[in-house]
Amino acid sequence: MLEIKNLHVEIDGKKILNGLTLTIHPGEVAAIMGPNGSGKSTLSYVIAGKEDYTVTEGDILLNGNSILEMEANERAAAGLFLAFQYPLEIPGVATMTFLKAAMNAQAKARGETELSPGDFMRKVRGAAEKLGINPDMLKRPLNVGFSGGEKKRMEILQMTLLDPAYCILDETDSGLDIDALRIVAEGVNALRGAGRGMLVITHYQRLLDHIVPDKVHVMAKGRIVKSGGPELAHELEKDGYANYVEAA
Amino acid sequence: MAPAVVQMRTPAETALIERFEAEKAGLPGAAAERAAAFERFKAKGLPSKRVEAYHYTDLRALMRQAPEAGSQSLPAPKAPAGVTIQSLAEALAGGFRPGLAMGKAEDVVVDLNTAFMREGLVIRVAAGTAVAEPLVLDVAHASRHGRVIVEIGAAASVTLVETHSGADGVAYSSNHVVELILGEGAKVEHIRVNAAGNEALVLSTLAASLAAEAELMSLNFSLGGAVSRHQSFITYAGENAKLDLRGVTMIRGRQHCDNTLVVDHAVPHGTSRELFRTVADDEAHGVFQGKIIVRPHAQKTDGQMASNALLLGDEAAMSNKPELEIFADDVVCAHGATCGALEESQLFYLMARGLPRAEAEALLVEAFLGEVLEAVSDEALRDSLSARITEWLAARQAA
Ligand SMILES: Nc1ncnc2c1ncn2[C@@H]1O[C@H](COP(=O)(O)OP(=O)(O)OP(=O)(O)O)[C@@H](O)[C@H]1O
Ligand SMILES: [Mg+2]
């Protein structure tokens, strides 16, 4: 279970999250929708362990244990994965080299044995093919010069390979064409179930047509202001956020 | 009339003067060149920080101990077909003239080397010879005033590697000069590895002259020494020559490493690329001084110079001084210098995928320096340099 309890977060003295409470149960897919600037990416960064933020109140618990004191890499090894809204370009580091380093680091942190080079290659190639990623891209420096859609697919490839317990997808649909959206959604759906929790941040109903959430939460001004089922997303698509922003 | 400023001789200067008087009769050949070079040194003394070219590396203050004359010989590699190797002493005694690759450049460190040089080699690569295996020179710290002169004949190609090593904990100093004289269309890759001992004062110079269509790639790969200064003086003697000058510097503790270069485009249609990358940890200090001169007739010169530094330590510093002196109007020249810490957002991305901070940093540093190694064509050689980077980073992680 991933629990966010009464979370208050500041950056450079500016308050961004304002008593946010949210629980994601094992196997559950929750969607967060909310206006620009409401703090969705901030929430995802704070969960993943970015250091720029100050948590002034509240807690984040993964399976009952607070993760606030853990480094980002420790959280990753504990099973958290953030698919970035803006994946970073890493010049000079071949994608394959990076994937191997990440998988080995997590295996090591969990006391598991590393994959053999052959198994590693097979696993990466197989997962890449399902996501329509050209094997040549894996030789290029990570995300450097990749199109917006290619970067998003690369995030899902990493998510597939790292096999996390809880995934946060921050606007993974932005920048995807219609076919890519379907491929990426299939990739995400393939990871559903088996106790894996997901938090899907999006602005658009069309992603939720492919990845049908169990719950939909509306976020405004740094807190969850309304929760409901998938029908809530349709309502928002029709009426916008005006009611909720005023209420917040 | 203002009184002349008389600087006191430093102990190192006094020792050098005494030593020259005592030893000059026994030094092999080039008596006139030695005497002239020594007079220039005597007139100027060791350069202090008031001398522009030595502003960041005050040799007057830093040279506590004058380099000794050194041993007689530098071990010669086995000469492959088309290559002849002669000892410097023998060549000089036979009337061979040193210093031709220096062009118009003048420098006190080179003058001192000229005055005292004894051990060394003269290597000639016959025209048209393609030497397959790299020629490797192992320069141990007993060698103090070495000079290696390599004449590469027209359309010949060769890779030359100098590895300077020495024991840690020994405060020695050395002053080495390599001259490369490239004939028309000659292609040379020159890799210098500075793995000197951790208390050494390491002075080294590359002087090269490029005939028409010649191509030189020279990499200074520096991680040793307490204080190191590598200078490159490159002169274009013929048109359409290409230069690719590179540097990898990894320093930590209180190490100081200076890369100073003067690229003199004396003729038209020359191309030069300079790419220097420095990684400085702890309180280490890196220096890059690069000067590109484009003489009045050197039209169509194309020069691009970059120095990038990554400062890993809070107290680490980098002094970047790129300069363009352009006297021709139809040229494309640019320079860029950057200096900064590792990108936090990139580190976070890597950490969010499970890499511990030190490993994420190492990956980024390897990528930063690795690009410079791409110009080394010999794969085994490139791998051995990569391995040195990995080793350096592993020692950092262990610390
Ligand atoms: N370093 C910072 N300093 C000050 N304010 C910041 C900083 N980083 C983010 N913010 C502010 O925090 C607020 C929330 O930003 P965040 O990126 O979390 O919004 P979001 O909900 O993800 O928006 P979008 O839908 O546009 O992606 C914004 O007003 C933003 O300007
Ligand atoms: Mg956002």
Side-chain angles (χ1 to χ4, degrees):
Chain A
M1 195 150 70
L2 181 62
E3 297 166 275
I4 299 141
K5 291 185 167 168
N6 187 31
L7 196 65
H8 291 255
V9 170
E10 287 179 4
I11 184 160
D12 302 330
K14 187 182 168 192
K15 187 140 198 187
I16 297 175
L17 298 186
N18 211 344
L20 186 139
T21 297
L22 177 67
T23 299
I24 300 156
H25 297 277
E28 178 184 290
V29 174
I32 288 193
M33 303 183 82
N36 295 127
S38 54
K40 303 181 297 297
S41 293
T42 302
L43 172 66
S44 72
Y45 284 145
V46 174
I47 297 173
K50 197 169 187 191
E51 285 172 2
D52 315 353
Y53 303 95
T54 315
V55 175
T56 54
E57 216 185 313
D59 207 350
I60 304 174
L61 309 175
L62 178 62
N63 300 328
N65 303 312
S66 174
I67 60 168
L68 289 183
E69 294 302 316
M70 289 161 76
E71 300 269 8
N73 57 299
E74 295 169 329
R75 299 185 195 194
L80 282 173
F81 181 91
L82 167 62
F84 282 58
Q85 181 174 4
Y86 303 107
L88 276 290
E89 299 194 356
I90 313 286
V93 178
T95 302
M96 211 55 150
T97 308
F98 159 77
L99 291 173
K100 190 149 206 232
M103 288 171 74
N104 286 348
Q106 294 207 13
K108 193 172 162 196
R110 295 183 195 137
E112 297 163 4
T113 48
E114 293 177 3
L115 286 180
S116 72
D119 287 344
F120 167 77
M121 289 299 281
R122 270 186 290 280
K123 200 167 168 184
V124 174
R125 289 244 170 83
E129 199 185 324
K130 282 199 188 113
L131 290 164
I133 294 171
N134 186 326
D136 282 343
M137 269 183 53
L138 301 172
K139 294 182 197 147
R140 285 167 55 187
L142 181 61
N143 292 331
V144 178
F146 288 15
S147 74
E150 287 168 344
K151 285 180 184 167
K152 294 303 175 75
R153 285 188 211 205
M154 198 52 76
E155 294 292 284
I156 303 305
L157 175 67
Q158 294 171 33
M159 187 167 108
T160 308
L161 294 171
L162 294 170
D163 192 20
Y166 287 89
C167 311
I168 302 156
L169 291 91
D170 191 0
E171 293 198 29
T172 298
D173 52 334
S174 67
L176 293 180
D177 64 40
I178 294 162
D179 294 331
L181 182 70
R182 186 177 43 75
I183 294 167
V184 164
E186 278 167 13
V188 173
N189 284 330
L191 296 173
R192 273 183 96 148
R196 200 187 317 266
M198 292 195 189
L199 184 61
V200 180
I201 298 171
T202 184
H203 286 294
Y204 303 106
Q205 171 60 39
R206 58 170 199 180
L207 178 69
L208 304 182
D209 288 340
H210 293 280
I211 306 171
V212 181
D214 301 306
K215 282 200 187 122
V216 173
H217 303 277
V218 182
M219 183 164 171
K221 297 185 182 165
R223 36 203 306 243
I224 301 296
V225 292
K226 169 105 184 167
S227 300
E231 73 289 345
L232 185 53
H234 289 281
E235 219 173 276
L236 288 169
E237 188 93 342
K238 203 154 52 69
D239 304 333
Y241 295 113
N243 296 336
Y244 303 109
V245 175
E246 276 156 31
Chain B
M1 206 178 93
V5 179
V6 181
Q7 283 216 52
M8 291 273 290
R9 294 274 187 215
T10 68
E13 286 170 341
T14 308
L16 284 164
I17 291 167
E18 283 169 7
R19 196 171 290 161
F20 187 69
E21 294 308 325
E23 292 180 8
K24 66 181 178 190
L27 293 167
E33 281 92 349
R34 290 178 193 279
F38 196 73
E39 283 312 310
R40 284 195 293 272
F41 160 68
K42 250 168 81 177
K44 293 184 215 155
L46 290 168
S48 74
K49 62 170 180 279
R50 272 174 287 173
V51 175
E52 199 190 345
Y54 285 82
H55 181 68
Y56 300 103
T57 303
D58 185 333
L59 210 53
R60 190 178 147 85
L62 289 166
M63 192 187 280
R64 303 259 164 72
Q65 203 190 11
E68 288 155 27
S71 61
Q72 295 278 350
S73 64
L74 195 96
K78 200 171 159 295
V83 177
T84 58
I85 302 180
Q86 192 182 19
S87 82
L88 179 79
E90 195 188 334
L92 293 177
F96 185 84
R97 283 192 61 202
L100 295 179
M102 276 295 278
K104 290 197 169 76
E106 256 194 27
D107 176 77
V108 180
V109 167
V110 175
D111 281 339
L112 278 172
N113 180 281
T114 303
F116 286 99
M117 64 186 166
R118 175 147 52 186
E119 74 263 53
L121 302 167
V122 173
I123 302 175
R124 295 181 179 88
V125 182
T129 307
V131 182
E133 290 294 311
L135 278 182
V136 181
L137 305 176
D138 274 311
V139 188
H141 89 255
S143 158
R144 301 296 166 81
H145 279 108
R147 173 151 331 192
V148 174
I149 303 172
V150 191
E151 293 179 343
I152 305 97
S157 61
V158 67
T159 297
L160 185 73
V161 183
E162 331 159 42
T163 306
H164 295 255
S165 55
D168 284 343
V170 185
Y172 66 95
S173 47
S174 64
N175 175 352
H176 276 263
V177 175
V178 170
E179 292 187 54
L180 302 177
I181 300 160
L182 280 74
E184 277 190 22
K187 285 194 172 64
V188 174
E189 283 187 26
H190 167 242
I191 290 106
R192 172 180 180 274
V193 179
N194 169 12
N198 64 358
E199 290 183 25
L201 168 64
V202 187
L203 302 173
S204 66
T205 304
L206 164 69
S209 83
L210 312 181
E213 317 276 339
E215 290 180 21
L216 170 63
M217 192 290 287
S218 174
L219 166 66
N220 179 37
F221 187 96
S222 191
L223 41 71
V227 173
S228 300
R229 174 177 166 105
H230 180 66
Q231 9 184 52
S232 303
F233 298 102
I234 316 288
T235 308
Y236 289 70
E239 297 189 4
N240 295 310
K242 287 198 172 94
L243 169 70
D244 185 356
L245 213 53
R246 293 177 175 236
V248 166
T249 302
M250 286 166 287
I251 42 180
R252 57 164 64 113
R254 305 195 60 184
Q255 278 181 294
H256 173 103
C257 181
D258 174 341
N259 271 289
T260 290
L261 53 103
V262 180
V263 174
D264 190 345
H265 287 272
V267 298
H269 293 285
T271 303
S272 74
R273 294 286 177 274
E274 290 83 23
L275 177 63
F276 285 75
R277 297 237 163 123
T278 301
V279 174
D281 203 355
D282 306 323
E283 303 161 60
H285 183 200
V287 176
F288 173 81
Q289 297 187 103
K291 185 189 280 190
I292 299 182
I293 304 170
V294 182
R295 305 266 171 200
H297 300 293
Q299 300 294 4
K300 306 286 180 194
T301 291
D302 173 356
Q304 312 277 339
M305 174 160 66
S307 165
N308 316 109
L310 261 183
L311 304 181
L312 300 179
D314 291 341
E315 305 289 321
M318 180 74 195
S319 306
N320 268 318
K321 190 176 159 214
E323 277 179 281
L324 302 175
E325 282 186 7
I326 301 180
F327 302 101
D329 51 19
D330 186 11
V331 302
V332 183
C333 283
H335 65 72
T338 61
C339 178
L342 287 167
E343 208 40 76
E344 274 303 321
S345 56
Q346 291 181 338
L347 282 172
F348 170 62
Y349 186 67
L350 297 175
M351 288 175 73
R353 295 299 176 253
L355 296 175
R357 176 171 281 270
E359 232 177 275
E361 287 181 353
L363 200 62
L364 293 178
V365 171
E366 282 185 57
F368 175 74
L369 295 178
E371 206 184 318
V372 184
L373 302 184
E374 284 166 13
V376 177
S377 351
D378 188 89
E379 201 179 324
L381 192 55
R382 198 171 55 237
D383 288 348
S384 76
L385 297 174
S386 293
R388 282 184 190 265
I389 294 175
T390 309
E391 219 174 276
W392 190 87
L393 288 165
R396 176 173 187 265
Q397 262 169 269

